[in-house]
Amino acid sequence: MHELTERELYHALEYAKSQDEDSGRHILAQFELDQPLLFQTLFGLLPSVIAEHNQELGQFFMDLCFEVICVYQNAFGLTPKLADDPDWMARQAILLAPEFQALLQCHTLPVDDRKALVVDFIKRNGPQRQRRLIAFFNEAIDEFASYNISRVGAIATTQAVMLVVVSLFDGLYA
């Protein structure tokens, strides 16, 4: 796996955005079959964490998760099946748990401390292979939040959780 170039990322995001409702349902249904625990995490657990801060950003996060699935499938192929490594999700949860908890708390930290926490997360979990994708999602989250002041307080949490999602997909496709 490699970091997507701007052109590859643009192409993969266009693919994600071009999916109609029926295609989207099919992609999600297949993803749920292939990775049921990851599906439950992406569309159950993580949005509820964000929704504690802002319901609308929690829903927007699920849209972004769909885009992540599409980007990785378009750029790197079909999602690996659970049967390929049934213990993968459990190992990821153990590895990411301390950093994930810290990232969730980061909205109360000063900006420099938040940046240091993210750098620490990346050091412990390997370099982010998809920096452009993370930057794209951070901008999308900032833009979406800018339309309603009540969303602003959940930006840091949503971006932190999105970083975890991309880390999970990097691991899944590695």
Side-chain angles (χ1 to χ4, degrees):
M1 194 172 90
H2 64 282
E3 181 174 4
L4 296 173
T5 64
E6 283 187 44
R7 183 178 180 163
E8 290 171 320
L9 179 58
Y10 177 78
H11 184 267
L13 288 167
E14 282 296 312
Y15 167 76
K17 295 201 184 286
S18 72
Q19 300 305 306
D20 63 22
E21 193 172 331
D22 289 336
S23 297
R25 277 195 204 114
H26 176 72
I27 290 168
L28 288 175
Q30 188 61 51
F31 183 78
E32 185 175 16
L33 287 173
D34 294 341
Q35 288 292 332
L37 295 173
L38 184 54
F39 180 89
Q40 183 179 17
T41 301
L42 296 179
F43 296 100
L45 175 68
L46 297 178
S48 67
V49 168
I50 295 167
E52 289 177 10
H53 301 280
N54 183 275
Q55 184 72 36
E56 293 167 328
L57 264 173
Q59 292 171 343
F60 183 67
F61 170 80
M62 289 189 284
D63 293 341
L64 296 180
C65 286
F66 173 76
E67 289 184 24
V68 170
I69 293 167
C70 289
V71 165
Y72 276 80
Q73 286 184 355
N74 182 268
F76 303 113
L78 296 176
T79 304
K81 293 181 178 9
L82 175 66
D84 296 341
D85 187 357
D87 298 326
W88 179 83
M89 190 66 189
R91 285 195 314 275
Q92 297 305 307
I94 291 167
L95 291 172
L96 294 174
E99 288 87 357
F100 182 61
Q101 286 298 325
L103 286 170
L104 288 179
Q105 306 294 324
C106 78
H107 66 279
T108 61
L109 296 175
V111 174
D112 289 341
D113 291 345
R114 268 187 270 159
K115 287 180 183 176
L117 196 56
V118 170
V119 168
D120 228 19
F121 176 82
I122 291 169
K123 281 181 187 174
R124 285 193 184 118
N125 295 291
Q128 286 296 316
R129 293 181 186 101
Q130 303 308 329
R131 291 174 289 168
R132 288 180 185 92
L133 183 61
I134 291 168
F136 170 81
F137 286 132
N138 284 345
E139 288 175 26
I141 291 164
D142 285 340
E143 182 180 340
F144 182 78
S146 73
Y147 295 123
N148 187 330
I149 192 76
S150 69
R151 299 174 184 163
V152 173
I155 290 173
T157 300
T158 308
Q159 289 176 340
V161 174
M162 204 69 227
L163 177 64
V164 169
V165 169
V166 172
S167 294
L168 286 169
F169 273 81
D170 279 353
L172 183 63
Y173 277 85

